[in-house]
Amino acid sequence: MNKIFVFCEMSGDRIKKSSLELLTAARKSGHPIVTGALGPGSENLKEFLQNYGVTTHYFNGSAELKHYNPELYSPMVVEMLKSSEASIVLASSSLMNRDLFARVAAKLDLACINDCTELNLQEDDLGLRRPLYSGKCSAQVRIKEDSQRIILMRPNQLPVENFSDSASVELKELAIPSVDLKTVIKEVVKGTSERLDLTEANIIVSGGRGMGGPENFKILEDLADTLGATVGASRAVVDAGWVPHNMQVGQTGKTVAPSLYIACGVSGAIQHLAGMSSSKVIVAINKDPEAPIFQKATYGIVGDVFEIVPKLTEEFKKVLS
């Protein structure tokens, strides 16, 4: 029986939702589960992980690991994978993990499949699928079974479920390696927004050049506040300096797959579509009926965003109040 290793990415002292998706998939597969996590809070996950049937948890909760540093993280994850003897390694396809597991795969000479959108752990070939050419097509991928297989899953592709297994979890603390660091992370400055990161958001309200200027993003923020959503933007908006880069959705920004994506004044350039086409439901609002975004939209509204978005906000407030 395959043993599965799930790398649990931390956000503060909690496990990110994208990692909970992988824990759920691993638990439902019936295979033995081993986990690993680094940074403050990773030492306090025993009671939580036992509900998912985890047998062993590797960790180090040192404040030295609060911020991602590949020079420390990669050798520690290499040690986790060697000790776990797991045949399948799962992690979310976040910006951090794309960098981290590329290094880990190189050190261990393993296959690493990134940005997968389908995963079937019941199949011998794992049932992997990943998009190609900016989402124009997808490829089914198979990995030889004679070594560990590293799979990075795009967030919001799998369901999250709660379990109550109450399994016995063995905790194994790893030592921080003695490394002559070339880089020291002293501080990470975050934005003031308290909204979820785009990659974890279940609902995203996104704006494009049709918004006319940065001051008009206020109506998108009002709609997002009503829906409990996160605000995103197209590349053109970011390049114009209207919003920071961490709000960019697209091939050169963040790849998202929320349950609901509301595109306001977004024309639908191919690089933007590549970053959001996996959304479950896409609502497009644009005054140009020929805008490419309508080809991908589940629902399309042809009209002025400055009239339609405030009305949507009012109606949602009535329904949700």
Side-chain angles (χ1 to χ4, degrees), residues 155-212:
N156 288 324
Q157 299 298 313
L158 303 170
V160 174
E161 296 181 20
N162 295 316
F163 302 94
S164 55
D165 283 4
S166 297
S168 176
V169 182
E170 180 183 5
L171 298 179
K172 292 189 176 183
E173 184 173 9
L174 300 179
I176 297 178
S178 178
V179 179
D180 183 16
L181 295 176
K182 298 180 178 64
T183 304
V184 177
I185 313 298
K186 293 187 175 181
E187 182 184 11
V188 175
V189 180
K190 296 184 178 181
T192 57
S193 175
E194 296 182 358
R195 294 190 176 96
L196 278 175
D197 183 84
L198 284 168
T199 56
E200 294 217 317
N202 195 45
I203 303 175
I204 295 174
V205 179
S206 196
R209 277 186 296 190
M211 295 307 300

Side-chain angles (χ1 to χ4, degrees), residues 195 203-206 217-232 262 309 313 316:
R195 294 190 176 96
I203 303 175
I204 295 174
V205 179
S206 196
F217 267 69
K218 177 64 168 62
I219 65 172
L220 302 187
E221 293 170 358
D222 291 341
L223 178 56
D225 289 339
T226 301
L227 296 175
T230 296
V231 179
I262 304 176
V309 173
T313 303
F316 279 125

Side-chain angles (χ1 to χ4, degrees), residues 251-298:
Q251 195 169 27
T252 54
K254 294 183 178 180
T255 300
V256 300
S259 297
L260 174 60
Y261 188 90
I262 304 176
C264 305
V266 176
S267 63
I270 187 62
Q271 75 88 25
H272 185 81
L273 296 179
M276 47 67 73
S277 57
S278 295
S279 305
K280 310 299 185 298
V281 175
I282 300 172
V283 177
I285 306 170
N286 200 299
K287 64 181 180 181
D288 178 8
E290 302 300 322
I293 189 71
F294 287 123
Q295 297 177 17
K296 283 287 185 180
T298 313

